[in-house]
């Protein structure tokens, strides 16, 4: 499934019916029906995995972090207050986990030689195109605070409002960061203008 | 033409993302239609957005994701898992509490543990300890030298000695060192002949020395683990031996002794000597300082004297087998290491009877132990070191008694001869001394030559031997890294100095040339 087409899923999730579905599953879970948690997981796991993949940029750790996210959700679901959508809460947890992971990696990278830290597999639907690789490399050079909102917007199709909730900042900040990310990306891609045009 | 602002671009970026209100959309649309730069920017940002959204592919589907998560959740909930998670913390806490309790109710446990460890190490080095005199087969000459030169050979082949001495502050020490300063031979014979001792008296001196050889047996112990254990009473035995020999000599040959010892030294009170000898012999001290290749420590050690005596008697009976079966221990101590090239001081504590700390100095080729106090106060005795080192002069003094020489009244300034007369016994000998004219220049030259070739001689206070480092310093023959460094530095300085001198000489020459009149220059 292509990530960009997930927008359809998001629209579905945003619908009030979908929200009511999540709420009723959570209520059942709180009442003791543990099987509903598997349903919730099945429904949202791909989105969570994609968010983590985009945020971390490393496919190797996606599943471990995704599992960690759902374990946290499982432990805290009884405290869910039904004040916001379940997905907002879930993705916020996912983004926070990613931030923690990135922080740890930064500390670790201080002690790891450069050669070891750079080898991360990227999945590109079988065929690796040079153009995509150039763009991915340029995106990976962006700072986390610019890269995460940009990818959540352009790939996952979240709204500024949603991104602001996930990364816990103002909408204006998200707007500004996405704009700055694009400007930085433009500068980074300038030397490859010829390749990208062809 | 209006320049596009950052705010405009931010608006366009949000417009592309569909995040603007209707009013804002109208405004942006209007601006884009009006300004070609904004139009270009709009196209550019749209292209970047497309590049970004197209850059990432699909993620492979996770296999058994739900099952794995549920398994992790359930295993994480189990008591076993929780316990496992907290095991290190619980372990450390229990250990800390346990340690605190043990130390509270049994505060000496750590000391005892250390003591046990120390005893184990000590035990290892105390195995097979035997008297040095038993293994090294010391002669009466060696023991006589110990009395007056305060030096006992540990390993004659490698010139390793135990040396007793006093430092500048008068504190006694003993040290193990490699030395090239070996006492001259036949000192005992020279002592006997100087005192004109007859055969019986000679045997009595030998018996005194022999008796002390017995005492010294328990003072210096060695084994095949490269250990040398020295009793702290070693110094006292040295003093007692000197005192005993002196007492005997003054009793048997007072006149002769008086001749070799100047009158100013004769202040010895015989009762003091007797007291010292008595007290030293009565002392039964079992505190030893152990010198090993790895460490230096003090420990009590009880030598089985009965067993030792038995062994010695057996060996005496069968002297041939002793020669064949003589154990050849090699005590080769190498004290130099990178970290303790210079003086390193270690502190040790003795038992309650000897609580004062003593210091150990390890240098490149010595290991010196300073002793805080000597139990027996020394008798007031002459300085034997200076006396016996000049003992051979006694004969010369005798011969020089009647030595005369005549200097002619008109001593020729340019060469000539004068006579010297001296008596040996009753015969009168004459020696004519020829003298050539003195050539001052050649004299100065030869003197300078002699000075160049001369190694600077540092007169040694007999009791304080400054070890080979002193000599090395003058020969520039350094063994340790610190000195090598100095040597290199010295060479470098010398080269620089030579360069400067050369430069100076050239400048001087130039100046001289400049000062000369023009005619001379040409």
């Amino acid at each position: 499934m292509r990530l960009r087409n997930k927008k359809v899923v998001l629209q579905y999730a945003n619908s009030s019916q979908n929200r009511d579905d999540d709420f009723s599953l959570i209520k059942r879970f709180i009442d003791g029906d543990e099987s509903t948690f598997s349903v919730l997981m099945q429904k949202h796991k791909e989105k969570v995995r994609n968010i983590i993949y985009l945020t971390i940029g490393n496919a190797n750790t996606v599943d471990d972090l995704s599992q960690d996210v759902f374990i946290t959700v499982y432990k805290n679901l009884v405290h869910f207050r039904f004040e916001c959508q379940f997905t907002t809460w879930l993705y916020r947890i996912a983004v926070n986990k990613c931030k923690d992971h990135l922080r740890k990696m930064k500390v670790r990278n201080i002690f790891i030689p450069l050669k070891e830290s750079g080898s991360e597999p990227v999945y590109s639907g079988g065929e690796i195109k040079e153009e995509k690789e150039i763009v991915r490399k340029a995106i990976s050079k962006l700072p986390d605070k610019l890269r995460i909102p940009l990818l959540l917007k352009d790939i996952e199709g979240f709204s500024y409002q949603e991104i602001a909730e996930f990364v816990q900042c103002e909408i204006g900040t998200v707007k500004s960061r996405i704009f700055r990310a694009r400007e930085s990306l433009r500068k980074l891609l300038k030397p490859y203008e010829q390749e990208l045009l062809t | 033409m209006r320049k596009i602002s950052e705010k405009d671009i931010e608006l366009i970026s949000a417009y592309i993302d569909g995040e603007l209100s209707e009013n804002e959309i109208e405004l942006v649309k209007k601006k884009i239609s009006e300004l070609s730069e904004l139009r270009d920017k709009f196209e550019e940002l749209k292209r970047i957005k497309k590049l970004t959204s197209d850059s990432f592919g699909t993620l492979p589907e996770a296999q058994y994701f739900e099952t794995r998560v549920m398994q992790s959740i359930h295993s994480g909930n189990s008591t076993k898992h929780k316990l496992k998670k907290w095991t290190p913390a619980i372990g450390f806490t229990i250990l800390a509490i346990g340690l605190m309790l043990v130390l509270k109710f049994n505060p000496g446990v750590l000391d005892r543990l250390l003591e046990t460890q120390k005893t184990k190490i000590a035990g290892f080095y105390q195995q097979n300890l035997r008297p040095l005199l038993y293994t090294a087969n010391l002669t009466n000459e060696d023991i006589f030298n110990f009395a007056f030169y305060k030096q006992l050979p540990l390993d004659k082949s490698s010139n390793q000695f135990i040396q007793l001495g006093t430092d500048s502050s008068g504190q006694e020490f003993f040290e193990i060192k490699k030395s090239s300063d070996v006492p001259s031979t036949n000192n005992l014979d020279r002592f006997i002949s100087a005192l004109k001792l007859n055969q019986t008296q000679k045997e009595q001196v030998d018996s005194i020395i022999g008796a002390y050889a017995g005492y010294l047996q328990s003072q210096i112990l060695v084994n095949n683990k490269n250990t040398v254990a020295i009793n702290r009473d070693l110094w006292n035995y040295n003093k007692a031996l000197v005192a005993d020999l002196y007492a005997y000599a003054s009793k048997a040959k007072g006149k002769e002794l008086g001749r070799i010892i100047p009158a100013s030294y004769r202040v010895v009170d015989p009762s003091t000597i007797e007291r010292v000898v008595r007290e030293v012999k009565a002392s039964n001290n079992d505190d030893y300082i152990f010198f090993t290749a790895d460490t230096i420590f003090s420990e009590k050690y009880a030598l089985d004297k009965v067993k030792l005596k038995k062994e010695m008697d057996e060996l005496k009976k069968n002297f041939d087998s002793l020669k064949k079966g003589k154990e050849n221990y090699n005590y080769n101590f190498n004290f130099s290491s990178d970290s303790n090239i210079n003086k390193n001081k270690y502190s040790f504590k003795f038992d309650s009877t000897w609580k004062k700390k003593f210091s150990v100095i390890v240098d490149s080729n010595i290991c010196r132990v300073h002793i805080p106090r000597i139990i027996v106060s020394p008798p007031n005795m002459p300085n034997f070191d200076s006396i016996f080192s000049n003992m051979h002069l006694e004969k010369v003094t005798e011969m020089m008694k009647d030595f005369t020489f005549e200097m002619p009244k008109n001593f020729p300034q340019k060469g000539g001869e004068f006579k010297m007369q001296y008596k040996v016994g009753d015969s009168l000998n004459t020696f004519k001394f020829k003298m050539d004219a003195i050539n001052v220049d050649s004299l100065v030259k030869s003197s300078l030559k002699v000075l160049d070739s001369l190694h600077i001689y540092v007169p040694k206070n007999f009791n304080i031997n400054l070890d080979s480092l002193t000599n090395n310093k003058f020969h520039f023959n350094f063994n340790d890294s610190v000195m090598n460094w100095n040597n290199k530095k010295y060479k470098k300085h010398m080269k620089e100095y030579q360069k400067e001198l050369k430069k100076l000489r050239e400048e001087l020459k130039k100046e001289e040339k400049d000062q000369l009149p023009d005619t001379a220059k040409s």
Side-chain angles (χ1 to χ4, degrees):
Chain A
M1 200 189 331
R2 286 185 65 80
L3 291 172
R4 55 188 303 206
N5 295 333
K6 291 282 173 180
K7 197 165 186 176
V8 183
V9 181
L10 176 76
Q11 280 165 357
Y12 175 73
N14 279 344
S15 69
S16 61
Q17 194 198 339
N18 190 39
R19 191 184 64 186
D20 291 344
D21 283 354
D22 284 346
F23 282 2
S24 66
L25 285 168
I26 295 164
K27 274 175 189 162
R28 278 168 59 195
F29 175 81
I30 293 167
D31 291 342
D33 184 3
E34 278 212 355
S35 63
T36 55
F37 187 73
S38 292
V39 181
L40 272 173
M41 214 168 9
Q42 213 166 8
K43 197 172 160 187
H44 299 290
K45 69 172 182 188
E46 286 309 322
K47 194 76 178 172
V48 169
R49 287 178 75 236
N50 281 332
I51 290 172
I52 290 169
Y53 171 50
L54 292 173
T55 315
I56 302 294
N58 182 1
N60 289 335
T61 47
V62 168
D63 282 350
D64 287 344
L65 275 174
S66 306
Q67 279 185 41
D68 208 11
V69 168
F70 281 105
I71 290 167
T72 309
V73 170
Y74 179 89
K75 284 176 183 167
N76 296 290
L77 202 55
V78 285
H79 307 299
F80 186 71
R81 286 184 290 183
F82 303 97
E83 286 168 359
C84 64
Q85 286 186 43
F86 170 69
T87 48
T88 308
W89 185 65
L90 174 67
Y91 302 155
R92 194 187 295 158
I93 291 172
V95 170
N96 283 337
K97 288 274 178 202
C98 291
K99 280 183 182 172
D100 286 348
H101 178 79
L102 287 169
R103 209 176 294 127
K104 282 177 197 166
M105 288 302 289
K106 268 179 194 165
V107 177
R108 262 186 64 188
N109 284 345
I110 297 168
F111 305 101
I112 294 172
L114 282 171
K115 279 180 188 174
E116 284 177 37
S117 58
S119 55
E120 292 162 353
V122 177
Y123 297 95
S124 56
E127 192 186 353
I128 299 169
K129 285 185 181 169
E130 206 182 346
E131 181 190 287
K132 286 181 181 177
E133 239 176 57
I134 293 167
V135 178
R136 272 202 305 270
K137 271 186 185 168
I139 291 171
S140 71
K141 283 175 188 168
L142 295 174
D144 292 344
K145 65 176 183 177
L146 301 186
R147 196 185 77 248
I148 295 169
L150 178 79
L151 294 175
L152 289 176
K153 179 72 207 170
D154 287 354
I155 296 172
E156 286 302 313
F158 288 117
S159 67
Y160 284 3
Q161 173 72 43
E162 284 168 321
I163 296 168
E165 281 170 5
F166 304 157
V167 299
Q168 288 158 297
C169 67
E170 297 296 317
I171 298 175
T173 313
V174 174
K175 187 179 164 187
S176 158
R177 283 182 184 174
I178 289 173
F179 149 70
R180 278 162 55 206
R182 283 181 182 141
E183 278 297 289
S184 305
L185 202 56
R186 183 180 61 81
K187 284 173 192 164
L188 286 166
L189 292 173
K190 202 157 192 176
Y192 306 98
E193 215 163 8
Q194 201 61 40
E195 289 96 319
L196 296 173
L197 278 171
T198 55
Chain B
M1 195 172 65
R2 194 171 69 90
K3 204 181 172 186
I4 52 168
S5 67
E6 207 171 75
K7 190 82 190 159
D8 291 336
I9 306 168
E10 196 179 306
L11 265 174
I12 292 170
S13 170
Y15 172 63
I16 293 164
D17 288 335
E19 293 282 346
L20 293 183
S21 65
E22 277 184 18
N23 288 341
E24 284 172 324
I25 292 168
E26 285 304 314
L27 185 74
V28 170
K29 274 183 180 175
K30 197 183 166 198
K31 278 184 177 178
I32 288 170
S33 64
E34 283 171 0
L35 287 167
S36 61
E37 285 90 348
L38 269 183
R39 240 187 338 269
D40 293 345
K41 198 77 203 170
F42 171 68
E43 290 301 327
E44 192 180 49
L45 287 177
K46 245 171 62 175
R47 200 166 148 262
I48 285 172
K49 185 178 166 75
K50 195 174 179 304
L51 282 172
T52 312
S53 54
D54 287 347
S55 61
F56 283 81
T58 50
L59 201 60
E61 206 172 315
Q63 298 288 319
Y64 312 110
F65 184 82
E66 294 84 359
T67 320
R68 277 187 283 148
V69 171
M70 291 316 286
Q71 263 179 359
S72 297
I73 288 168
H74 292 304
S75 65
N77 278 343
S78 67
T79 323
K80 195 182 166 187
H81 186 268
K82 279 176 188 166
L83 267 177
K84 201 178 169 186
K85 197 178 167 186
W86 289 99
T87 305
I90 293 166
F92 277 118
T93 315
I94 291 170
L95 199 73
I97 293 169
L99 204 65
M100 280 160 73
L101 285 172
V102 166
L103 287 175
K104 187 175 167 59
F105 295 108
N106 204 352
V109 71
L110 280 180
D111 287 341
R112 278 201 298 279
L113 259 171
L114 287 173
E115 201 58 41
T116 317
Q117 204 59 29
K118 196 182 156 192
T119 315
K120 273 184 189 170
I121 296 168
F124 172 76
Y125 285 113
Q126 282 174 356
Q127 285 169 10
N128 299 328
L129 276 175
R130 287 172 189 186
L132 171 74
L133 307 192
Y134 167 83
T135 53
N137 198 18
L138 297 183
T139 59
N140 279 3
E141 172 76 17
D142 290 329
I143 292 163
F144 182 81
N145 285 338
F146 169 67
F148 295 110
Y149 291 87
K150 295 178 175 60
Q151 202 175 62
L152 262 179
L154 268 181
D155 183 1
K156 286 179 184 173
S157 62
S158 63
N159 274 346
Q160 277 205 321
F161 290 89
I162 291 175
Q163 174 78 58
L164 305 189
T166 47
D167 64 13
S168 52
S169 63
Q171 195 187 17
E172 282 94 349
F173 64 80
F174 47 77
E175 64 191 21
I176 294 176
K177 65 169 191 175
K178 278 191 176 180
S179 172
S180 54
D181 185 25
V182 185
S184 53
T185 50
N186 297 328
N187 288 323
L188 179 58
D189 289 345
R190 278 164 46 206
F191 175 78
I192 286 162
S193 63
L195 291 178
K196 294 178 181 167
L197 296 180
N198 59 33
Q199 188 57 33
T200 324
Q201 285 164 329
K202 187 178 172 292
E203 279 165 12
Q204 277 170 335
V205 167
D206 282 345
S207 82
I208 290 172
I209 290 172
Y212 275 90
Y215 297 129
L216 287 174
Q217 272 174 11
S218 58
Q219 298 301 299
I220 306 164
L221 309 173
V222 291
N223 71 4
N224 54 355
K225 289 185 174 66
N226 221 7
T227 309
V228 179
I230 300 173
N231 194 296
R232 70 183 204 207
D233 272 353
L234 184 64
W235 244 109
N236 292 338
Y237 274 102
N238 173 269
K239 288 178 180 180
L241 174 57
V242 173
D244 236 359
L245 284 171
Y246 179 80
Y248 177 78
S250 63
K251 197 176 156 190
K253 292 279 178 180
K255 199 182 162 193
E256 278 75 9
L257 188 68
R259 210 167 51 218
I260 60 169
I261 296 175
S264 58
Y265 286 119
R266 272 177 253 150
V267 283
V268 184
D269 175 10
S271 65
T272 325
I273 292 177
E274 276 171 32
R275 181 181 62 78
V276 168
V277 174
R278 203 171 50 243
E279 282 182 22
V280 169
K281 284 180 181 173
S283 159
N284 193 16
N285 201 329
D286 55 358
D287 279 323
Y288 284 86
I289 297 166
F290 288 80
F291 294 80
T292 74
D294 308 320
T295 179
I296 300 163
F297 61 92
S298 66
E299 189 72 31
K300 282 187 179 299
Y301 181 73
L303 187 72
D304 191 344
K305 285 179 184 168
V306 182
K307 194 182 162 193
L308 177 76
K309 197 177 178 302
K310 208 176 159 188
E311 274 182 20
M312 287 301 287
D313 289 345
E314 274 176 25
L315 284 168
K316 270 178 194 167
K317 272 181 202 167
N318 194 354
F319 189 68
D320 288 337
S321 66
L322 167 72
K323 268 189 173 175
K324 280 176 194 169
K326 195 181 90 175
E327 292 182 54
N328 189 17
Y329 294 159
N330 184 22
Y331 310 97
N332 193 13
F333 286 86
N334 185 11
F335 299 109
S336 74
S337 75
D338 290 342
S339 58
N340 55 13
I341 282 163
N342 294 317
K343 285 179 179 180
N344 285 335
K345 288 199 171 185
Y346 304 93
S347 290
F348 295 89
K349 272 184 182 175
F350 264 109
D351 60 358
S352 56
T353 58
W354 200 1
K355 272 189 175 172
K356 279 185 184 177
K357 287 181 177 178
F358 66 93
S359 62
V360 178
I361 297 168
V362 181
D363 211 323
S364 58
N365 58 354
I366 65 155
C367 179
R368 181 182 292 182
V369 179
H370 282 260
I371 310 160
R373 70 191 169 105
I374 299 293
I375 299 167
V376 182
S377 56
N380 188 7
M381 282 195 293
N383 185 349
F384 289 99
D385 304 331
S386 59
I387 295 161
F388 285 99
S389 60
N390 295 321
M391 210 162 66
H392 60 283
L393 287 176
E394 186 259 336
K395 269 187 183 173
V396 180
T397 316
E398 184 78 19
M399 286 162 74
M400 294 289 279
K401 214 161 51 181
D402 301 318
F403 177 84
T404 55
F405 77 89
E406 290 172 9
M407 182 72 85
K409 272 184 184 174
N410 300 317
F411 185 74
Q413 284 185 351
K414 291 184 177 179
E417 63 174 45
F418 63 92
K419 270 193 257 175
M420 281 192 289
Q421 287 185 323
Y422 61 94
K423 268 184 183 174
V424 178
D426 296 331
S427 63
L428 183 73
N429 298 295
T430 309
F431 179 75
K432 282 180 186 174
F433 189 81
K434 279 189 179 178
M435 227 172 139
D436 292 329
I438 298 166
N439 183 344
V440 179
D441 285 346
S442 68
L443 193 67
V444 170
K445 268 186 186 174
S446 64
S447 302
L448 285 171
K449 243 184 197 175
V450 170
L451 273 174
D452 282 346
S453 64
L454 198 67
H455 291 305
I456 298 164
Y457 172 68
V458 180
K460 287 181 182 176
N461 178 343
F462 184 78
N463 284 339
I464 306 165
N465 281 316
L466 292 173
D467 100 300
S468 56
L469 277 179
T470 315
N471 291 329
N472 282 343
K473 202 170 180 180
F474 291 106
H475 289 288
F476 288 103
N477 179 24
F478 302 129
N479 292 324
D480 54 40
S481 59
V482 175
M483 290 302 174
N484 276 331
W485 177 80
N486 281 339
N487 203 1
K488 276 178 196 166
K489 205 175 168 186
Y490 166 80
K491 280 178 183 171
K492 199 183 158 191
H493 280 298
M494 283 308 287
K495 272 187 182 172
E496 282 171 9
Y497 180 61
Q498 278 169 354
K499 271 184 196 169
E500 276 177 29
L501 271 178
K502 204 178 168 186
K503 208 176 160 186
L504 187 73
R505 259 190 239 120
E506 279 166 5
E507 279 173 10
L508 280 172
K509 269 185 189 173
K510 205 181 165 189
E511 272 179 26
E512 269 177 26
K513 223 176 181 182
D514 290 343
Q515 281 167 8
L516 282 173
D518 291 343
T519 46
K521 272 183 197 174
S522 61

